[in-house]
Amino acid sequence: MDKNIIKQHGLSDEEYKAILKYLGREPNLVELGIFSVMWSEHCSYKSSRVHLKKFPTTGPQVICGPGENAGIVDIGDGQAIVFKMESHNHPSFIEPYQGAATGVGGILRDVFTMGARPIALLDSLRFGAANHAKTPQLVNGVVAGIAGYGNCMGIPTVGGEVYFDESYNGNILVNVMCVGLVKKHQIFRAKASGVGNPVIYVGSKTGRDGIHGATMASDVFDEGSEEKRPTVQVGDPFTEKLLLEACLELMQSAQGRKDVVGIQDMGAAGLTSSSVEMAGRGGVGFEMDLAKVPLRETGMTPYEIMLSESQERMLLVAKKGSEKRIKAFFEKWDLDSEVIGTVVKGGQLSLKVGDELVADLPTIPLTEKAPLYKRPIKKPAWQEKIQELDLATIPLLKDWQEPLLKLLASPSLASKQWVYRQFDHMVGIDTVMIPGGDAAVLRLKGTHKGIAMTTDCNSRYCYLDPFEGGKMAVAEAARNLVCVGAKPLAATDCLNFGNPEKPEIMWQFEQAVLGIAEACRVLGTPIVSGNVSLYNETKGEAIYPTPTIGMVGLLENVEDHCQLGFQQEGDLVVLLGELSEELGGSEYLKVIHGLTRGLPPRVSLDLEKRVQQLCLAGIHAHLIGSAHDCSEGGLAVALAESCFPRELGVEVQIGFPLRPDALLFAETAGRVVVSVKERDLPAFLEMAREVRCPAVVIGKVTRKNFVINQLIQTTTQNLKQVWARGFETSLGV
Amino acid sequence: MKIGIVVFPGSNCDRDCFHVLKTLKQDVRYLWHKNATFPKMDALVLPGGFSYGDYLRTGAIARFSPIMKEVVRFAKGGGKVLGICNGFQVLTETGLLPGVLMRNEGLKFICESVPLEVVNYQTPFTTAYGARSSVQIPIAHMDGNYFADDETLRRLEGEGQVVFRYLNNPNGSARNIAGICSKKGNILGMMPHPERCAEDVLGNQDGRKLFESLIG
C-alpha cells in the first residue's frame, strides 16, 4: 500500500504494521478506510481510554454506564433517564450552521436508539473573543443551527452555557447534551446476536457527505482547514423527526420489543462503526451487501458507502422473519428500510457488492484491539508561572460600580436571552424552569416528579489548575442542581482538549480526569456516559482544557423547585459558605485587569457537600425562597442576578477585613446566596448548625436600591439594563 | 367532546395538545394525515410543528395531505377547527382563513411568553375570557408575521374576526394580529400556543380558558 495513502488516512507506521499483523496480508482501500475511522481518536479513544477508567461509574441508581450509546439512571416508578453529551467542535468551526445542527441530530439519535424519547437538549458553547472578527458569524451560525434542528424536532433546548475567550479564536466548542425518558422495561441496547438474523438499514439514503468526518475530528487545524468543508455532514431534522417517531413506535410496540434484537445509530464513521460495534459487542459477524444500501447519489463506491456520515440513519438487527413487520413501521413514515445483511457466526465483517467480496475483516482488531496509548505526560514548564499572583500588584479601584457594570455587560456574564429566545424551550410542555436559571427543570407527566439538568465548566480554572478545575466543574454542576431543588443523580462529560501527542496536553487531561473523578466520588454522582474531543488546536495553539460536565438531578416533587430570583421585599439574604480572598482565575481579573493568572478557587469537597445538603434541605422544608449559585463574577454578580427577575433591590452589609475586590468579585467555591423569610430564619439557622454549614445573614431584599457596604450604591434597574443588552452589544449581533 | 388532532409528518405539538385535552377529560384522538376520512368529530385541532419540514413555505405542502379535503369539508360545514402555529399556517395555505404568515421581521426564531389582548371574546374559542382581558401566552415560531392586503385587514377588523392581538408586536404582524377567525367564527388560527400554558405546574394557565371555551 502506498505510504501517502496510509498517511492520508491518519494512520501511523506502527498502526499500519499492526493492521498487517491482524490481517496477515495487505488491506485493500475499503479495509484501510475502515481501519482508519475505527482507529481514529474519535472512535477508538486510543489516547484517553487508560485515563477514563479512573472515573467512578457505578451506583445503585446506575442502570447503564459508559460503553453504550448513552448512560441510564433509575428514577423510580419504573422510569429511567437516558443522557449523554457529545462534541461537534471541528465541523462547527468549519461550517457553523450544519456543524451545530448535526451535533444536535447525532446526540438525539444516541438517546432514542436506546428506546428513550428525548425530552430536552442543552448546549455548552465556547467561542473566541467577542471582538474577534470571526466570532459574531460563528455565534450566529451555531445558534441558528441548533435552533434549526432542535426546534424542528420538537425537543426543547432548555439550558446550557455560552462563554467567550481568545483561547477559542481558532477552535470553538459546541457540546450538546440530550436527556431522554424511557420505561425501564423498554430499554434497547446496541448489541447484535442470533446467527441468521437480518441486518436492517433504516432512515435517510446514503450520500457522499461527511466522508472522513471522524478522521477530521481527530486532527489539528491548520491554514487549509476551511477546505475540509465537504467533510461536514448536512442535517435534515424533518427526516430525523420521522425516524424518531418510527423507531419509538416500533420499539414501544409489544411486537417490536420482541422483534428488535439490537439497534444503533449511524453517527461518526457511519455504517462502519454501527456494524462493527454491534457485531463486536455481540461476538458475532456481519455479512452485508452494499448494493442494497439505499443511496442518494449514483456511482458511489464501497469505500464511500462505508465511510459516509450521512445523517438520520440507523442500523438494526431483528429476529428472522420479522422483516415485513418492521418495514411497515418505517413505510408509515415514508422512510427507507432495507435488509442489507445477515448476522453470521464468528467475528468477521464481510462486505460484498452483489457477489463480489470487497472487504473481509475481523471485528475484534477494529474494536477491542484498537490501539491503546499510554501517552507521555509532562507538567507544562509554564504551569507554575501562570499560577503566580501577587495581589499587591493589583491596584484597588476608587469606584466599584464601574467594574460591576463592566462584568455584567461582558458577554460571558450578560443575559443569554438573545440565544435562548431562538430555541424553542417550551415544546413538550414539560419546562417548569426555562433557561436563565441555575439549572432547567422539567416535570414528568403523570408523576409528581421533576428532572433538573445543567452543564458546567470553567475552562480558565482548568487552564490554571486542571485538577481543581475538573473538581470545580463537577461541584458547580451539582450546586446548580441543588439550587433548583434537585438531588444530583449522575453525570456525563465532554472532555475537550488539545493535541494528545503533546505530553503537556496529556498532563492537563490526566489532571482534569483525576479532579472530576474525585469530586464525582465524594458527591455521589458517577459518570455514566461521555465523549472525548482531542486535537482542539489551531496552528499549534491549544484551547484551554475544557472538561464540560453535564449533570442530571431528581426532584421527588416538582412543585418544590426553587428560583434564583429574590421573591419579596423584606426577605433576608443569607450567604451559605465562606468568604475568602481567592481572586485567581476570576472574571474580575480577566475583564477588569486583563489577567488570566493565579490559583483558581479551591473546592473543599467536604464544605461543598454540607452547603449543598443545607440548600437542598432548606428548599424542601420551604424555608428558602430563592437560591442562586455564586460563581463567575463572585458575590456582587450573584446578588445582582438574584435581583433581576422581579426587579427587586438588595442592601448588604458584610464585615470583611480583606480587599474589597475580593469581597465583591472573588469566586470562592461552595457558596450559595439564598433568601429567607424573617420568621423562618431561626429554623433555617438551626438547620445550618445541624449540618455544620456556615450561613450568615448578609442583608435584606429591598424595593429597588442595590447597595453593598459603602462600595456600591446604585439601583437594580441600572444594573439590569447593561446586563440585558450586554450580549448583543458586545457581539454586534 | 370528541376532538381529533391531525398529525402531519413533522407535527410536534400534537402530543402537547393531546395531553392538555386529556387532562380536561375529553375524548381526544390522533388523525393520521394519510387517511382521507375520519370518524365523526366535534372539533379538530391542527397542531404546531414543522409539517413536511417546512422546507417550502410553511404549511404549503400539508394542505395537499389526503386528510385535508375532509378537514375543509368539516370546516365549511361549520365544524370547529383550531389551528395553532403551524396549524394556523396550514389554514391560511388551505384558504380557510385569509392572509399569510411571513418570516418574522427580525428573521429569527422567537420563543417567549408574550402579552396578548383578547379582542373578540365571543368566538367558540374565547368565551371564557370575558371582555377586555389581556393574557400571557407563549409564541415559538420563525414565520408568524401575519400579512393580508388592506381591504382584507379592514374586513377582518370590521367583522370581529381579529381574535388576538399582540400588545408588543414581536414579529412584524400587520395590525399586531396574533390570531384570526373565520366569518362564522368556527375556525380559529393563532400563532401563540395556548397548550403551553394550560396547567398550574407550568406557572401560567392563561391558555386553559381557550380549551375550556371550546369544550363549553
Side-chain angles (χ1 to χ4, degrees):
Chain A
M1 177 84 50
D2 185 281
K3 274 212 154 146
N4 276 326
I5 294 179
I6 296 166
K7 206 171 155 229
Q8 276 162 20
H9 281 78
L11 291 161
S12 69
D13 289 346
E14 290 73 39
E15 286 170 344
Y16 185 67
K17 271 185 211 149
I19 293 174
L20 293 178
K21 195 188 91 193
Y22 287 126
L23 289 185
R25 61 175 167 86
E26 280 212 346
N28 63 30
L29 189 62
V30 180
E31 292 168 335
L32 187 77
I34 291 174
F35 267 104
S36 96
V37 289
M38 289 308 297
W39 284 11
S40 70
E41 190 65 58
H42 191 80
C43 291
S44 72
Y45 295 84
K46 57 190 169 191
S47 305
S48 59
R49 254 150 63 213
V50 289
H51 299 285
L52 301 179
K53 289 197 183 108
K54 292 163 193 157
F55 285 141
T57 58
T58 54
Q61 72 276 44
V62 179
I63 294 176
C64 175
E68 266 285 351
N69 282 298
I72 310 182
V73 290
D74 197 335
I75 55 164
D77 304 322
Q79 291 180 311
I81 290 290
V82 180
F83 68 105
K84 187 186 180 183
M85 181 158 40
E86 210 165 64
S87 63
H88 233 213
N89 306 334
H90 291 76
S92 299
F93 183 71
I94 298 172
E95 175 19 64
Y97 186 98
Q98 292 298 345
T102 52
V104 174
I107 194 68
L108 283 167
R109 283 193 303 282
D110 277 337
V111 167
F112 74 74
T113 194
M114 305 200 74
R117 178 170 285 275
I119 55 169
L121 289 163
L122 298 94
D123 310 285
S124 172
L125 310 176
R126 279 173 182 76
F127 298 100
N131 59 8
H132 186 264
K134 271 196 108 159
T135 302
Q137 171 224 339
L138 289 167
V139 171
N140 265 316
V142 166
V143 171
I146 292 167
Y149 210 101
N151 296 354
C152 181
M153 285 295 293
I155 316 294
T157 300
V158 297
E161 40 179 3
V162 189
Y163 286 102
F164 298 85
D165 194 288
E166 301 85 47
S167 141
Y168 306 102
N169 278 352
N171 194 129
I172 62 171
L173 300 185
V174 174
N175 294 179
V176 191
M177 172 170 163
C178 178
V179 180
L181 179 67
V182 70
K183 290 197 179 107
K184 266 165 75 178
H185 68 282
Q186 289 182 354
I187 294 170
F188 284 80
R189 312 242 176 181
K191 187 173 160 186
S193 68
V195 171
N197 278 340
V199 177
I200 306 176
Y201 170 115
V202 301
S204 272
K205 292 178 169 47
T206 297
R208 287 194 172 92
D209 53 328
I211 291 174
H212 276 303
T215 319
M216 171 191 68
S218 307
D219 199 359
V220 294
F221 276 159
D222 51 33
E223 296 285 357
S225 292
E226 266 84 354
E227 286 165 20
K228 290 181 177 168
R229 266 185 85 190
T231 60
V232 179
Q233 311 86 329
V234 178
D236 173 5
F238 172 57
T239 302
E240 177 122 322
K241 168 72 174 162
L242 305 184
L243 188 62
L244 162 75
E245 296 303 338
C247 286
L248 289 185
E249 267 182 24
L250 169 66
M251 295 195 260
Q252 290 171 0
S253 71
Q255 187 65 44
R257 275 209 295 287
K258 288 182 210 147
D259 287 344
V260 178
V261 173
I263 176 166
Q264 175 158 343
D265 84 294
M266 294 192 219
L271 186 53
T272 294
S273 66
S274 54
S275 56
V276 168
E277 287 173 12
M278 277 225 283
R281 286 193 195 100
V284 292
F286 277 8
E287 202 177 284
M288 300 197 295
D289 182 358
L290 301 184
K292 300 226 169 94
V293 173
L295 299 178
R296 99 170 52 125
E297 299 175 62
T298 52
M300 283 185 71
T301 63
Y303 178 91
E304 290 169 329
I305 294 170
M306 288 307 289
L307 267 55
S308 161
E309 289 191 9
S310 286
Q311 299 288 291
E312 295 92 27
R313 304 178 300 162
M314 300 278 232
L315 195 67
L316 58 92
V317 171
K319 290 253 167 67
K320 200 177 161 83
S322 69
E323 293 89 340
K324 272 199 184 138
R325 285 196 297 271
I326 286 178
K327 201 176 178 64
F329 280 92
F330 293 94
E331 263 173 0
K332 176 187 165 186
W333 292 93
D334 299 318
L335 290 168
D336 278 314
S337 73
E338 289 299 329
V339 175
I340 61 166
T342 328
V343 176
V344 294
K345 224 190 260 173
Q348 203 76 2
L349 179 73
S350 307
L351 305 176
K352 293 179 176 169
V353 176
D355 290 332
E356 185 198 348
L357 190 68
V358 294
D360 197 16
L361 299 169
T363 59
I364 296 300
L366 290 167
T367 54
E368 280 168 42
K369 294 272 173 66
L372 184 64
Y373 296 134
K374 254 187 139 164
R375 302 260 191 211
I377 285 172
K378 195 176 132 216
K379 185 172 178 179
W382 42 261
Q383 192 68 39
E384 275 161 26
K385 199 147 182 235
I386 59 168
Q387 292 176 341
E388 285 168 13
L389 174 67
D390 180 4
L391 283 182
T393 63
I394 310 292
L396 287 174
L397 308 176
K398 286 196 187 73
D399 168 27
W400 294 106
Q401 194 164 309
E402 201 49 39
L404 175 58
L405 286 166
K406 234 175 163 174
L407 279 167
L408 289 169
S410 69
S412 293
L413 297 189
S415 164
K416 302 299 181 299
Q417 202 206 9
W418 182 90
V419 178
Y420 64 74
R421 194 173 181 243
Q422 296 183 57
F423 300 152
D424 191 338
H425 48 264
M426 304 184 202
V427 63
I429 56 169
D430 293 325
T431 316
V432 171
M433 278 180 72
I434 68 164
D438 281 343
V441 175
L442 271 71
R443 57 96 177 253
L444 297 176
K445 291 189 193 89
T447 74
H448 295 294
K449 290 181 296 191
I451 289 290
M453 51 201 83
T454 186
T455 65
D456 210 275
C457 179
N458 183 318
S459 63
R460 200 177 302 132
Y461 297 169
C462 295
Y463 165 69
L464 295 170
D465 184 339
F467 179 81
E468 284 299 323
K471 255 166 77 184
M472 181 69 108
V474 175
E476 201 181 323
R479 205 184 311 138
N480 285 338
L481 296 181
V482 162
C483 282
V484 300
K487 182 184 179 339
L489 280 180
T492 180
D493 61 15
C494 196
L495 308 175
N496 310 274
F497 287 79
N499 180 350
E501 292 158 44
K502 294 183 184 166
E504 291 84 1
I505 299 288
M506 278 321 284
W507 178 81
Q508 293 178 331
F509 188 85
E510 184 189 45
Q511 289 294 308
V513 166
L514 290 172
I516 291 169
E518 184 174 317
C520 283
R521 215 168 282 121
V522 175
L523 298 175
T525 53
I527 301 278
V528 295
S529 59
N531 167 243
V532 178
S533 171
L534 300 174
Y535 297 98
N536 289 292
E537 290 202 3
T538 300
K539 294 176 207 159
E541 205 56 46
I543 58 160
Y544 284 167
T546 316
T548 315
I549 297 295
M551 203 178 277
V552 170
L554 179 68
L555 292 97
E556 288 296 344
N557 186 353
V558 72
E559 308 271 345
D560 282 349
H561 70 269
C562 187
Q563 307 275 354
L564 68 79
F566 292 142
Q567 298 292 300
Q568 210 177 4
E569 197 184 337
D571 288 353
L572 297 173
V573 178
V574 182
L575 177 70
L576 317 187
E578 288 165 346
L579 294 163
S580 82
E581 224 173 19
E582 290 175 305
L583 277 170
S586 63
E587 286 288 326
Y588 165 73
L589 279 194
K590 171 73 186 171
V591 173
I592 308 299
H593 297 282
L595 290 175
T596 301
R597 290 193 77 90
L599 282 167
R602 191 160 289 269
V603 187
S604 153
L605 289 169
D606 176 52
L607 175 65
E608 183 75 53
K609 224 175 144 174
R610 282 179 283 134
V611 167
Q612 295 189 13
Q613 200 183 343
L614 174 62
C615 186
L616 201 54
I619 291 171
H620 289 170
H622 300 126
L623 296 174
I624 289 179
S626 73
H628 185 26
D629 155 46
C630 189
S631 55
E632 284 94 358
L635 182 61
V637 167
L639 286 166
E641 288 170 344
S642 302
C643 287
F644 292 156
R646 296 199 173 190
E647 297 194 15
L648 290 162
V650 74
E651 203 174 319
V652 165
Q653 284 296 333
I654 309 177
F656 186 68
L658 307 171
R659 295 171 59 103
D661 50 1
L663 168 66
L664 297 170
F665 306 122
E667 297 172 9
T668 309
R671 296 191 302 174
V672 178
V673 171
V674 304
S675 64
V676 177
K677 292 242 165 289
E678 203 159 357
R679 61 161 197 270
D680 292 332
L681 188 71
F684 183 64
L685 292 181
E686 178 53 35
M687 196 179 246
R689 269 190 298 276
E690 272 168 30
V691 296
R692 292 179 299 113
C693 175
V696 188
V697 177
I698 58 168
K700 212 170 219 177
V701 177
T702 59
R703 198 161 65 82
K704 59 177 190 172
N705 288 332
F706 187 94
V707 179
I708 302 178
N709 287 359
Q710 305 303 312
L711 304 169
I712 293 175
Q713 278 174 323
T714 179
T715 62
T716 294
Q717 205 190 2
N718 266 344
L719 301 175
K720 192 175 175 179
Q721 254 168 12
V722 297
W723 172 79
R725 302 271 316 136
F727 191 90
E728 287 104 305
T729 311
S730 311
L731 286 157
V733 290
Chain B
M1 204 176 199
K2 229 173 164 176
I3 303 172
I5 297 173
V6 179
V7 182
F8 298 104
S11 292
N12 64 29
C13 301
D14 44 340
R15 294 159 49 84
D16 300 354
C17 292
F18 188 94
H19 173 81
V20 168
L21 288 164
K22 265 281 174 214
T23 59
L24 293 172
K25 314 238 177 323
Q26 299 306 297
D27 177 7
V28 47
R29 60 191 63 189
Y30 294 118
L31 305 177
W32 184 234
H33 76 110
K34 280 184 186 170
N35 298 335
T37 59
F38 51 81
K40 197 174 170 312
M41 291 288 154
D42 299 313
L44 296 180
V45 178
L46 272 55
F50 290 67
S51 56
Y52 294 90
D54 280 348
Y55 289 148
L56 197 58
R57 214 170 49 245
T58 53
I61 302 184
R63 65 171 282 216
F64 293 111
S65 266
I67 199 168
M68 283 310 290
K69 268 194 184 148
E70 198 58 28
V71 170
V72 170
R73 204 195 319 267
F74 178 83
K76 288 194 169 159
K80 287 180 236 174
V81 179
L82 168 62
I84 302 168
C85 200
N86 195 225
F88 184 15
Q89 294 160 345
V90 175
L91 289 175
T92 59
E93 287 293 330
T94 318
L96 284 171
L97 290 173
V100 67
L101 281 314
M102 305 192 301
R103 180 117 321 173
N104 294 342
E105 204 171 49
L107 306 180
K108 285 190 163 51
F109 192 96
I110 308 171
C111 176
E112 66 188 0
S113 190
V114 299
L116 301 171
E117 178 196 357
V118 185
V119 185
N120 183 345
Y121 63 95
Q122 289 171 324
T123 77
F125 306 91
T126 49
T127 46
Y129 285 110
R132 277 189 295 279
S133 44
S134 59
V135 293
Q136 192 86 24
I137 299 183
I139 55 167
H141 58 247
M142 181 69 131
D143 303 84
N145 182 354
Y146 184 76
F147 175 83
D149 58 51
D150 281 339
E151 200 196 312
T152 308
L153 290 171
R154 264 197 301 275
R155 203 182 62 235
L156 286 174
E157 292 189 322
E159 315 239 335
Q161 286 179 251
V162 175
V163 182
F164 293 105
R165 246 192 254 277
Y166 299 112
L167 292 178
N168 309 310
N169 193 337
N171 54 25
S173 287
R175 316 262 172 116
N176 304 323
I177 287 174
I180 55 169
C181 66
S182 59
K183 219 166 175 176
K184 284 190 218 152
N186 63 309
I187 309 168
L188 172 67
M190 62 190 294
M191 289 313 295
H193 286 269
E195 79 279 12
R196 295 189 180 188
C197 51
E199 292 165 274
D200 191 26
V201 64
L202 301 178
N204 174 6
Q205 299 199 69
D206 283 357
R208 189 183 171 104
K209 283 186 179 160
L210 187 134
F211 295 101
E212 285 171 349
S213 306
L214 172 65
I215 295 158

